[in-house]
Amino acid sequence: MGFHRRLAPSGFNRGAGAALCALSAAAAALGAAPASAAPQGHTRAEVDRLYQQAEEATEAYDKADERADALRREVNHSQDRIARRQQSINAMRETLGSLAGAQYRSGGIDPTVALLFSDDPEDYLDRASLLDRIDVRQAGQLRELQAAMRELAQERSEATGELAELERSRTAVAAHKATVEKKLATARRLLNALPAADRAAFEHASRGADRADLPDLFGVSAPDGRAAAAVAAARAALGKPYVWGASGPSGFDCSGLMQWSYAQAGIHLPRTSQEQRYAGRQVPLSQAQPGDLVVYRSDAGHVGMYVGNGQVIHAPYPGAPVRYDPVGMMPISSVTRP
């Protein structure tokens, strides 16, 4: 098919990312380039390299952002638990104070009971010689207070650790975001520096296949309802823009598209392509079925969804919308069936 011929991998940089397909298409559209065009060829290869690095940084950003979200939820839950436990402790202290006050007024308890209401009632309980000054009920309540204060101190310590980890995660998110933006800005500057004809050919290739070249998927069906729903969702996303760090519905990065598509089928996938690689049973490429996740490159830095007849749907890179491409567009790392 013409689609296959136009997007077949070139000799550039065998480990390159999805942008290589478009770059190969641009080179084919330009025809045989004279020696003087070598700088443009180098620029296209450099853009490809930058897009691949940006995609790797995007996956790292997605992972750090997901961790930051989880930590924010943990911190909020911890703060709620701490507030509830503090209210419980205040109520316990108030009850003990009322009992102690009544006993003191009736002469039934020594003034040293004030020790009970210090910040560390354990000091009192450790003094066995004073235990005969209180009744069994108060002793039980004091021990409950002691246990509650220990648990509160532990939860506060854990919350402090969670807050510190959240701050580190926020820092990592910001660093990955800056890396992505820098790579993409550099790639855009290089593209803008290309001659108009080269740039136009690249942009045309980035838009993917014309409608006449769409793959023939007649008669292809998914193995079960969940896979069929995920494939249908991925097809519904065709033409949506690549947006780094996005997981739909208006834009996607590669792993975000997979996560969103399977979410429409009621299945939760992890956020990054590295994690999605292990989110199911791995099968040989020769046994791939519609809905399977095809993970690319040794670093598992890119992922697409197999839809049959040697085609995947994926979000390639900035400037290229969600589209069909040949499954062998770049080195395949594994095939996973969620």
Side-chain angles (χ1 to χ4, degrees):
M1 295 172 58
F3 184 77
H4 277 264
R5 289 195 300 274
R6 189 165 65 205
L7 292 175
S10 74
F12 292 137
N13 189 6
R14 290 181 61 86
L20 184 53
C21 300
L23 294 171
S24 301
L30 291 172
S36 60
Q40 281 73 41
H42 174 75
T43 296
R44 292 194 298 270
E46 179 65 11
V47 169
D48 175 42
R49 186 181 69 84
L50 288 166
Y51 275 152
Q52 178 176 334
Q53 291 177 348
E55 185 169 50
E56 293 168 356
T58 296
E59 291 299 294
Y61 167 88
D62 289 343
K63 186 175 182 64
D65 193 48
E66 184 179 46
R67 179 57 181 157
D69 285 342
L71 283 169
R72 276 189 286 269
R73 291 192 294 270
E74 290 176 14
V75 167
N76 289 338
H77 291 160
S78 294
Q79 290 174 337
D80 289 343
R81 288 196 305 272
I82 288 171
R84 289 193 298 270
R85 194 172 296 281
Q86 185 64 65
Q87 289 178 344
S88 176
I89 287 174
N90 291 343
M92 293 168 69
R93 291 167 69 100
E94 184 176 349
T95 299
L96 281 166
S98 298
L99 288 171
Q103 290 190 1
Y104 177 65
R105 286 190 295 273
S106 65
I109 192 169
D110 190 273
T112 55
V113 75
L115 286 171
L116 303 179
F117 310 109
S118 68
D119 289 335
D120 189 4
E122 185 174 358
D123 288 346
Y124 181 87
L125 293 175
D126 287 343
R127 301 183 185 188
S129 61
L130 296 179
L131 286 177
D132 59 351
R133 306 281 184 98
I134 60 175
D135 60 24
V136 174
R137 179 185 178 189
Q138 286 176 305
Q141 291 175 323
L142 279 170
R143 290 189 174 91
E144 289 178 7
L145 175 60
Q146 178 188 23
M149 293 185 71
R150 284 174 176 167
E151 291 173 359
L152 176 61
Q154 178 64 26
E155 289 189 351
R156 281 177 171 164
S157 176
E158 291 173 357
T160 299
E162 290 171 353
L163 284 169
E165 186 177 353
L166 175 58
E167 186 57 35
R168 290 193 296 271
S169 188
R170 285 172 173 165
T171 301
V173 168
H176 291 309
K177 180 178 180 180
T179 298
V180 174
E181 291 176 338
K182 181 179 179 181
K183 300 291 185 184
L184 295 180
T186 302
R188 179 49 55 184
R189 285 197 300 271
L190 289 172
L191 283 174
N192 289 340
L194 285 172
D198 284 33
R199 187 166 63 252
F202 179 88
E203 297 293 350
H204 175 75
S206 296
R207 289 194 292 273
D210 296 330
R211 187 170 185 82
D213 290 326
L214 290 178
D216 180 10
L217 299 177
F218 179 77
V220 175
S221 60
D224 57 48
R226 297 186 307 175
V231 170
R235 285 176 174 161
L238 286 167
K240 297 290 180 67
Y242 181 104
V243 178
W244 73 267
S247 55
S250 57
F252 303 90
D253 60 24
C254 68
S255 56
L257 175 62
M258 301 301 103
Q259 186 184 55
W260 179 84
S261 297
Y262 262 98
Q264 309 317 299
I267 297 175
H268 173 74
L269 291 183
R271 181 61 181 88
T272 68
S273 56
Q274 289 88 357
E275 295 168 314
Q276 289 173 4
R277 179 180 189 176
Y278 300 107
R281 179 168 61 93
Q282 295 194 359
V283 298
L285 177 62
S286 60
Q287 297 177 17
Q289 296 179 338
D292 289 351
L293 305 180
V294 183
V295 182
Y296 293 94
R297 302 197 302 263
S298 60
D299 65 351
H302 189 75
V303 62
M305 182 183 294
Y306 188 71
V307 291
N309 285 1
Q311 301 290 316
V312 294
I313 292 176
H314 69 139
Y317 55 90
V322 176
R323 71 186 190 198
Y324 293 105
D325 268 335
V327 67
M329 61 186 172
M330 68 181 88
I332 295 173
S333 172
S334 62
V335 178
T336 299
R337 184 164 299 156

